[in-house]
Amino acid sequence: MNFHPEIKFIFFLFSALVVSMIISVTLMFLKEKEGRAVERSLLLLLFSLILFILIYIFSLNQLIIGFLIITCIFLFFLVIPFSPDKNIIDEYPNSRIDERDTMFSRNELKPGTSRFEKYYSKNPDKKILDDLFRKEPGLLKKGSKYYHEQAFQMADDNFDKVELLYNRIEGSVEHSTIDVHKKIITDSIKKLAIDLGALNIGVTLCRDYHYYSHKGRREEYDNKIVPVHSYAIAFTVEMDAEMVAGAPQASIVVESSKQYLIAGRIAVDLAEKIREMGYASRAHIDGNYQVICPLVARDAGLGEIGRMGILMTPDHGPRVRIAVVTTNLELEVDKYKRDHSMLEFCKLCKKCAESCPGKSISCNDPEMINGDRKWQTNQESCFTYWCKAGTDCGRCMAVCPYSHPNHSWHKLIRYGIKRSKVFRYMAVYLDDFFYGRKPRVREMPF
Ligand code: SF4
Ligand code: SF4
């Protein structure tokens, strides 16, 4: 059968477009050093070339027309928007979390101390669980599975430097109040944070549930937290994709500690600048929080809290660290930009749950926990795995499709996920096809 010249031309354009798209995707995978994805895309390229050449040689008109029609229908379903389910989780928690119940606080309880006795006499059920992590070598400790002398030392140094920032997180306001224009000062603070290294920044009104109910660390242990500030500035810093891809090996804890330090420095700088203008402020940085940063950041419009229970940003997923500054300086609040498509994608994806070495992430839909419908990771089994690994694991963060570097193809996929239900299904299969359902642990960067 002869090829109609018009069909031949359209088909030529179509096949050239498909081939160049696959080449461009292959180059992106090469840049990401994703061996499996490169192999898969080369196979796809070969398959497409053979198919197109055969169609061309044998002038299979009907096949070409069928091919083009199916492509058009497929593209149509990809571009028509389907609004996602808006009731996947409850938006506002109805109670405050007690920092004394967090694993970091429980990890600091020393057997034989009155604090230890008091906590476990009130919470005997937690004692059984916590005895499990106490049997493991511990975070950054010799004997742990991923012990790496230099890397652990580097991470330890970073955490020590974070602690040196604690004496700058709050302070007295000795300057008289400067009158400022709400919008101008908000923009200036945001610009300063970005100049200092922040990735994204947002402002929200402080809400009761943003605050822990009690302090759970250091000398302020047991102190009731009384919210005193009205505004919260939340910002993220990016974690390096290659360092994260090596998780749960030592590269993850080096990168986390480094970004906690960078975020901490930005936060204390911002808090000091605000005090210099005559307004009270407090920085909330690693190991010294009064607020729950992911909740504040979510309400400041920086992302959603997905299946793994941490902030997922639209462009870098969970591959960020967060810090917060609370203040009484009146600021322009960001609009609450909920992105239900991310949560709907989480419902379908489940990759973090299936890859979690601690079996700490649920594969189910959100459940009612303490009166709120949400996903909640099992913090005890997660922390026990950290103490075994010696690192803060981060395997969930490494495998999350949203953690891929923010290159043009990934941007396009994220746009599609946001827009179309069909695309959300397709994106799960595409990610599995190229990166694997359980992506391999990458070698640590040198
Ligand atoms: S891996 Fe998948 S399910 Fe888990 S947080 Fe990321 S998108 Fe959601
Ligand atoms: S950090 Fe590791 S153990 Fe914890 S939830 Fe993520 S993958 Fe699981």
Side-chain angles (χ1 to χ4, degrees):
M1 198 185 290
N2 285 333
F3 243 151
H4 296 300
E6 298 83 10
I7 296 179
K8 193 174 177 179
F9 180 66
I10 294 173
F11 185 67
F12 174 75
L13 287 181
F14 172 79
S15 44
L17 181 70
V18 172
V19 167
S20 45
M21 277 165 65
I22 301 176
I23 292 174
S24 144
V25 168
T26 312
L27 291 174
M28 179 189 78
F29 290 143
L30 265 174
K31 204 168 159 194
E32 287 178 18
K33 299 182 189 154
E34 288 288 352
R36 174 194 157 109
V38 173
E39 276 168 26
R40 294 279 166 125
S41 54
L42 284 175
L43 279 177
L44 199 62
L45 183 63
L46 192 67
F47 173 77
S48 315
L49 281 172
I50 293 172
L51 184 70
F52 292 148
I53 290 169
L54 283 179
I55 291 175
Y56 221 75
I57 291 173
F58 295 106
S59 300
L60 303 172
N61 269 339
Q62 281 90 343
L63 195 61
I64 293 168
I65 294 170
F67 217 112
L68 293 175
I69 290 174
I70 290 170
T71 309
C72 290
I73 295 173
F74 185 61
L75 286 177
F76 174 74
F77 277 107
L78 283 189
V79 292
I80 52 165
F82 283 99
S83 50
D85 181 357
K86 294 193 170 57
N87 295 308
I88 295 174
I89 57 166
D90 289 339
E91 294 190 357
Y92 303 105
N94 57 37
S95 58
R96 285 163 71 180
I97 295 171
D98 189 333
E99 198 190 22
R100 293 172 297 187
D101 290 331
T102 64
M103 297 316 293
F104 294 108
S105 170
R106 282 148 69 180
N107 185 39
E108 286 173 10
L109 296 173
K110 296 285 165 269
T113 61
S114 58
R115 210 179 264 186
F116 184 97
E117 300 305 332
K118 188 174 155 200
Y119 183 79
Y120 289 117
S121 59
K122 258 192 183 171
N123 302 281
D125 51 323
K126 295 197 169 84
K127 171 85 171 48
I128 303 156
L129 298 168
D130 292 0
D131 283 344
L132 295 176
F133 80 71
R134 292 204 169 88
K135 280 189 197 142
E136 301 294 344
L139 268 179
L140 299 179
K141 292 285 186 296
K142 241 184 182 160
S144 55
K145 188 168 176 189
Y146 297 110
Y147 178 73
H148 186 294
E149 194 180 356
Q150 293 92 332
F152 277 23
Q153 186 59 53
M154 220 184 275
D156 223 8
D157 288 347
N158 285 337
F159 285 126
D160 286 347
K161 285 179 192 146
V162 173
E163 282 191 27
L164 292 178
L165 298 172
Y166 289 172
N167 58 9
R168 292 174 58 205
I169 59 174
E170 55 191 337
S172 52
V173 180
E174 281 153 16
H175 304 263
S176 51
T177 307
I178 298 172
D179 275 340
V180 285
H181 185 281
K182 200 161 88 167
K183 173 153 176 48
I184 295 175
I185 196 62
T186 308
D187 289 348
S188 308
I189 287 173
K190 287 183 174 177
K191 183 167 186 318
L192 176 62
I194 300 291
D195 286 348
L196 291 171
L199 182 66
N200 276 313
I201 179 159
V203 175
T204 176
L205 286 172
C206 286
R207 297 171 198 271
D208 204 44
Y209 62 78
H210 288 159
Y211 282 89
Y212 285 115
S213 62
H214 293 81
K215 280 292 284 179
R217 302 181 76 175
R218 288 176 307 283
E219 58 284 358
E220 297 142 292
Y221 191 91
D222 271 346
N223 286 1
K224 220 172 168 174
I225 296 177
V226 183
V228 288
H229 295 151
S230 316
Y231 294 87
I233 305 157
F235 65 87
T236 55
V237 289
E238 184 181 357
M239 294 177 71
D240 180 78
E242 250 191 286
M243 294 290 272
V244 170
Q249 302 165 99
S251 61
I252 186 73
V253 72
V254 174
E255 185 60 16
S256 311
S257 59
K258 177 181 161 188
Q259 297 308 333
Y260 276 130
L261 178 58
I262 291 173
R265 284 176 176 155
I266 300 171
V268 295
D269 277 354
L270 291 185
E272 277 178 355
K273 287 272 176 260
I274 293 172
R275 289 197 290 275
E276 282 166 17
M277 289 188 284
Y279 298 89
S281 67
R282 187 195 197 275
H284 302 261
I285 66 174
D286 180 51
N288 204 331
Y289 301 107
Q290 282 188 355
V291 296
I292 298 140
C293 289
L295 284 176
V296 180
R298 183 200 68 168
D299 292 353
L302 299 187
E304 288 292 342
I305 297 180
R307 183 179 291 279
M308 62 175 90
I310 59 176
L311 184 78
M312 305 242 303
T313 62
D315 299 332
H316 298 80
R319 197 169 45 80
V320 293
R321 290 292 170 210
I322 319 165
V324 167
V325 175
T326 51
T327 178
N328 277 337
L329 167 64
E330 203 182 333
L331 296 167
E332 195 164 76
V333 171
D334 281 285
K335 288 215 171 62
Y336 193 23
K337 295 172 273 188
R338 300 307 310 269
D339 184 352
H340 298 279
S341 66
M342 286 183 101
L343 301 175
E344 200 171 83
F345 185 75
C346 269
K347 262 182 94 172
L348 302 172
C349 166
K350 306 178 183 176
K351 201 168 227 181
C352 52
E354 289 180 21
S355 301
C356 170
K359 306 267 172 285
S360 311
I361 304 177
S362 166
C363 275
N364 301 330
D365 285 352
E367 289 158 324
M368 289 304 287
I369 298 163
N370 300 329
D372 298 317
R373 196 155 31 94
K374 59 181 176 181
W375 278 296
Q376 185 164 293
T377 53
N378 181 331
Q379 59 163 345
E380 285 87 6
S381 62
C382 173
F383 193 74
T384 302
Y385 185 77
W386 287 21
C387 292
K388 187 188 211 147
T391 69
D392 52 351
C393 176
R395 192 70 207 134
C396 44
M397 185 190 289
V399 302
C400 178
Y402 278 101
S403 289
H404 297 314
N406 202 23
H407 298 152
S408 46
W409 280 108
H410 290 309
K411 278 186 188 162
L412 192 69
I413 298 280
R414 284 173 192 141
Y415 175 76
I417 288 175
K418 197 170 173 139
R419 203 173 156 78
S420 152
K421 208 178 201 88
V422 180
F423 209 106
R424 288 193 272 283
Y425 278 100
M426 199 185 79
V428 173
Y429 289 110
L430 277 179
D431 202 82
D432 288 353
F433 176 76
F434 287 112
Y435 294 91
R437 185 67 197 148
K438 284 191 182 179
R440 72 182 170 85
V441 175
R442 289 254 304 268
E443 253 179 55
M444 286 206 297
F446 176 70

